[in-house]
Amino acid sequence: MKGYRILIVALLVVVGCGAPAAQQKKAAITQNQKAGIVQTQKAGVAQAGKADVYAVGFYNLENLFDTIHDQRKNDYEFLPDGTNKWTSEKYTHKLRNMARALADMGTDKVAGGCAAIGVAEVENARCLRDLCAQKPLKARDIRYIHIEGPDNRGIDCALLYNPRLFKVRNVKLVPYVYVKREDAGRATRGFLVVSGTMGGEHVTIIVNHLPSRGAPSFAREEGGRQLRVVKDSLLRDDPGVKLLIMGDMNDDPQDRSMAVALGAKRHMKDVESPGGLWNPWWDVLAKGTGTLVYQGAWNLFDQIIVSSSLLDREGTATSLKLWQWEVFRRDYLLQQRGRHRGEPFRTFSGGNWIDGYSDHLPTVVYLKKVKKSL
């Protein structure tokens, strides 16, 4: 990745834990909660005992730009004299809002929040450094991983993480490759691959932001195919790795890019093992819950897809497994009045700055690791 640079800076990330209310006893929160892990007494789990639960999230931050022009990037609309009149005041408000939401993610299950959060639409490392300096994140000593990418607008993906809960081993940016001759010379966001240790196990997170709906569906289908190649390569290196593929897919779970090109299944029983992928968001959207609204209808572009190694099909596993998942909602993330009431509270509306959060809602998955009783 010549010309890219890896920047890993101290940041504050949120880690979470929890238990399904219908299947578990009341959580007994221990002193580990401050570190983002809670131990919960479970019922109905084989070898019932205490379990550590980790929250992992994704959030499209909707144009987190600073106020300074980056050379060779088309960021002019987010400058003080640009279309959006992007002043220091607006930037400061955006940082404050993003930090609040990021710190709250995962806290439906655990006060400590998420162990790791993939983010999209971040301009550069400066923005991430300023974001990490916000009080809710700084208090938790969150760090970030970012590799400058080739996107024309300058928006990248990054990973925020809590170093006490996710120990980073390796970082790389795999480029998205345009394959059609007419697209020669184009560049967009790549696939940020971060491998590390969570709960004592090998976990790899892929953060991506596929081409927008302004591009033909083929561009996203090709993104799904390229994601599958990255996934297969990681599994060849370690067949037991726990994989989470997350991002703004710009497609819903049932679209070809996800269901066919990437091969993420709707039903757990259909997931091949090893090597298969499960998409838990398919049925969430079918029930009317999404992460963004277009022309009055909900879509669920913001997905976290898991490998078969994270599935506990029999309910007896003691290694790290998927437990729960949710579209993360708070009243402050939603419009409270007007014709867009109930939709994501975005930064701009009709060209006017309304001091909101994002046009997307975050998603969170919870991973559990059951401890055998002695």
Side-chain angles (χ1 to χ4, degrees):
M1 303 303 164
K2 185 177 181 181
Y4 294 156
R5 62 186 185 276
I6 301 178
L7 299 169
I8 305 179
V9 179
L11 175 55
L12 179 62
V13 170
V14 189
V15 175
C17 303
Q23 299 179 354
Q24 299 191 263
K25 298 179 180 179
K26 184 178 180 180
I29 299 177
T30 72
Q31 60 185 1
N32 286 335
Q33 185 184 60
K34 291 183 179 180
I37 302 176
V38 294
Q39 294 180 319
T40 56
Q41 190 67 32
K42 301 180 184 298
V45 177
Q47 299 156 345
K50 293 181 177 179
D52 292 336
V53 182
Y54 302 81
V56 178
F58 175 79
Y59 194 18
N60 182 323
L61 304 184
E62 192 200 12
N63 295 319
L64 178 56
F65 281 82
D66 60 25
T67 62
I68 303 169
H69 174 57
D70 284 1
Q71 291 187 5
R72 298 182 296 277
K73 299 296 184 181
N74 184 16
D75 59 0
Y76 296 104
E77 62 181 330
F78 283 94
L79 296 176
D81 59 353
T83 306
N84 292 322
K85 305 297 180 186
W86 195 244
T87 62
S88 294
E89 177 189 12
K90 292 177 181 177
Y91 177 52
T92 299
H93 279 239
K94 179 72 171 181
L95 290 169
R96 178 200 64 194
N97 291 349
M98 293 296 90
R100 180 185 183 186
L102 290 162
D104 281 351
M105 287 172 61
T107 58
D108 284 345
K109 308 298 179 188
V110 197
C114 291
I117 303 175
V119 295
E121 296 199 12
V122 178
E123 183 182 18
N124 52 37
R126 184 185 302 111
C127 293
L128 289 162
R129 185 165 57 248
D130 291 345
L131 180 63
C132 299
Q134 302 299 302
K135 286 184 178 180
L137 299 180
K138 186 177 180 179
R140 295 178 186 170
D141 185 31
I142 297 311
R143 304 181 182 184
Y144 72 81
I145 295 172
H146 168 253
I147 301 177
E148 185 67 31
D151 185 80
N152 181 54
R153 289 183 62 223
I155 55 173
D156 297 323
C157 294
L159 184 77
L160 312 181
Y161 71 101
N162 186 326
R164 291 171 295 177
L165 300 168
F166 184 54
K167 309 294 184 183
V168 175
R169 294 182 185 177
N170 183 57
V171 180
K172 63 182 177 180
L173 182 66
V174 179
Y176 175 102
V177 179
Y178 283 96
V179 296
K180 289 189 174 182
R181 181 176 300 175
E182 59 266 31
D183 292 325
R186 297 189 64 181
T188 190
R189 290 86 54 175
F191 311 112
L192 180 66
V193 182
V194 182
S195 293
T197 303
M198 185 182 297
E201 300 184 36
H202 184 194
V203 173
T204 294
I205 299 171
I206 305 173
V207 189
N208 76 107
H209 185 183
L210 294 185
S212 74
R213 285 287 177 104
S217 61
F218 174 85
R220 292 178 296 283
E221 291 171 30
E222 184 58 34
R225 284 187 283 271
Q226 293 181 27
L227 274 170
R228 183 187 284 221
V229 170
V230 175
K231 179 262 295 184
D232 290 343
S233 175
L234 292 167
L235 287 169
R236 281 194 297 272
D237 289 343
D238 179 4
V241 64
K242 308 295 177 70
L243 285 176
L244 299 105
I245 301 174
M246 63 174 63
D248 177 354
M249 308 302 186
N250 272 306
D251 268 339
D252 286 322
Q254 72 272 17
D255 290 325
R256 286 185 57 84
S257 61
M258 297 292 98
V260 179
L262 179 58
K265 304 298 185 182
R266 179 176 188 174
H267 302 294
M268 193 181 297
K269 64 180 178 61
D270 296 327
V271 177
E272 307 90 345
S273 183
L277 298 171
W278 188 51
N279 192 338
W281 307 100
W282 200 311
D283 287 342
V284 174
L285 179 61
K287 294 176 182 178
T289 298
T291 57
L292 72 156
V293 174
Y294 179 68
Q295 295 183 345
W298 283 96
N299 293 97
L300 210 162
F301 291 175
D302 307 88
Q303 300 162 45
I304 305 174
I305 296 165
V306 301
S307 61
S308 59
S309 54
L310 276 167
L311 300 181
D312 186 9
R313 303 174 199 253
E314 305 299 327
T316 59
T318 56
S319 63
L320 197 64
K321 298 294 181 181
L322 178 67
W323 188 14
Q324 291 188 337
W325 50 95
E326 65 177 347
V327 174
F328 182 77
R329 301 171 72 93
R330 288 289 186 272
D331 286 346
Y332 66 77
L333 294 175
L334 302 169
Q335 296 260 24
Q336 297 300 309
R337 60 181 65 86
R339 66 189 182 94
H340 295 295
R341 182 179 179 182
E343 298 179 7
F345 184 22
R346 57 194 305 164
T347 306
F348 287 90
S349 180
N352 298 311
W353 180 61
I354 56 174
D355 195 17
Y357 289 75
S358 173
D359 55 348
H360 293 242
L361 295 176
T363 46
V364 180
V365 298
Y366 298 92
L367 311 178
K368 70 174 180 180
K369 185 168 186 176
V370 177
K371 296 181 177 179
K372 293 182 180 180
S373 300
L374 297 178

